């Protein structure tokens, strides 16, 4: 079984936010060449949320953070550190974290931005856990917020990605635990992180940027040729996602001497319902141990895991003492997962 030999952190507050506006598959049918049937059979998605023009990624994040702070019974001024995962920040510079820190009214704490795309929240949890072991922090806020719908290409060229993504944010407040040697350790217990940059071109937003052989950060041609929208080779991404999401779960179980019977919940990144089904079949996971929100939110990138935590808690699947494994995959390629005793 899992053991705890050093200080660790536990989740004491959970929050989320999704924009009010719902975009159904039928609405997508009316603006691009797609069908509800194609989207539901290929991805499991029925609808997704779309941010209002008055909202930015930081606003989605702040709403989720306030929810998490209230859940923890804390104020923004109680926070000692913030780790923020996003790949759609308000600005290229500065990062999203400082905007959230300011809008929330935190003390001048470090607000660290982290890139991991759809693996961002799993990476942020593991980063926060590492800080909890090496510095004198008490409360750490972990945030995932993405606003993908504003960069999608809703024309024929972009339809394989445009139907997948939705907007949303989630946050967890971690409390650093000082007690060691518990008989049943709780909180963040173990993490797996990985990346393979040779796959970067299979899922990317090519422009703007500071790559070689581009004299400008962005050009009119970049915009006209839709280079500012995500490009995705769906089949390649699917193949790698399916492999690494399963590998993450099996490795986390193997090195902690656990079987599926010991796990209460598997929380996969919500990229495609078919990916979750493959994971369920390959590992023999009973349906009641899986969590899914993709039907109503689509792929919300770094908000995907915390939106699942919230759903699992609301539905009664996630209880004090539940043993959870998360598993993610994203652009990069990146992957990762967490073992958590709630
Ligand atoms: N509506 C209708 N048809 C569409 C479509 C859409 N939104 N998007 C693509 N198609 C068409 C394609 O043009 C293609 O047509 P063709 O056979 O005439 O050439 C056909 O559907 C099949 O396309 P393909 O891309 O091979 O489909 P797929 O079965 O691989 O499903 C995805 C596409 C995107 C759903 C799937 O590849 C996937 O989910 N990949 C992983 C995506 C992911 O997880 N990304 C995020 C990772 S964090």
């Amino acid at each position: 079984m899992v053991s705890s030999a050093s200080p660790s952190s536990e989740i004491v507050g959970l929050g989320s936010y999704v924009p009010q506006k719902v975009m159904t598959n039928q609405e997508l049918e009316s603006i691009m060449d797609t069908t509800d049937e194609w989207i539901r059979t290929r991805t499991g998605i029925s609808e997704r949320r779309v941010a209002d023009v008055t909202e930015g990624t930081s606003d989605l994040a702040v709403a989720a953070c306030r929810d998490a702070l209230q859940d923890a019974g804390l104020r923004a001024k109680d926070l000692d550190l913030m780790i923020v995962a996003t790949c759609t920040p308000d600005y290229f510079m500065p990062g999203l974290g400082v905007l959230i820190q300011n809008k929330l009214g935190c003390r001048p704490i470090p607000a660290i931005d982290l890139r991991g795309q759809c693996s961002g929240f799993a990476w942020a949890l593991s980063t926060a856990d590492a800080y909890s072991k090496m510095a004198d922090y008490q409360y750490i806020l972990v945030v995932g917020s993405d606003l993908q719908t504003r960069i999608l290409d809703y024309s024929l060229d972009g339809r394989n990605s445009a139907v997948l993504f939705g907007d949303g944010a989630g946050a967890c407040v971690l409390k650093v635990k000082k007690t060691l040697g518990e008989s049943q350790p709780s909180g963040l217990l173990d993490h797996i992180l990985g990346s393979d940059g040779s796959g970067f071109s299979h899922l990317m937003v090519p422009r703007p940027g500071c790559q070689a052989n581009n004299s400008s950060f962005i050009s009119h041609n970049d915009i006209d040729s839709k280079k500012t929208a995500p490009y995705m080779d769906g089949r390649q991404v699917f193949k790698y996602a399916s492999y690494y999401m399963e590998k993450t779960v099996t490795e986390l179980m193997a090195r902690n001497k656990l079987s599926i019977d010991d796990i209460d919940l598997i929380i996969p990144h919500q990229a495609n319902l078919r990916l979750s089904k493959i994971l369920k079949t390959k590992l023999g996971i009973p349906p009641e141990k899986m969590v899914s929100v993709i039907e109503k939110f689509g792929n919300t990138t770094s908000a995907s895991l915390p939106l699942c935590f919230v759903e699992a808690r609301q539905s009664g699947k996630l209880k004090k003492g539940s043993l959870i494994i998360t598993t993610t995959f994203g652009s990069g390629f990146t992957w990762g997962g967490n073992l958590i005793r709630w």
Side-chain angles (χ1 to χ4, degrees), residues 32-35 38-39 42-43 117-119 156 158-165 203 232-239 241 269-272 274-275 299 301 329-331:
M32 66 159 77
D33 185 7
T34 191
T35 61
W38 191 97
I39 302 170
R42 295 295 221 286
T43 71
Q117 295 64 251
C118 292
S119 305
L156 186 65
R159 65 179 177 168
N160 74 336
S161 313
V163 300
L164 295 181
F165 293 98
L203 176 52
M232 180 175 71
D233 178 343
R235 293 207 168 178
Q236 284 293 333
V237 175
F238 195 95
K239 192 173 79 182
H269 166 53
Q270 305 289 290
N272 186 322
R274 285 193 290 145
L275 280 171
N299 181 348
T301 318
F329 184 84
S331 155

Side-chain angles (χ1 to χ4, degrees), residues 148 151-153 157-158 160-161 165 203-206 226-232:
Q148 290 277 8
I151 64 167
L152 296 172
D153 170 9
D157 292 344
N160 74 336
S161 313
F165 293 98
L203 176 52
M204 69 182 304
V205 178
K226 309 262 180 58
K227 288 212 168 69
T228 54
Y231 162 79
M232 180 175 71

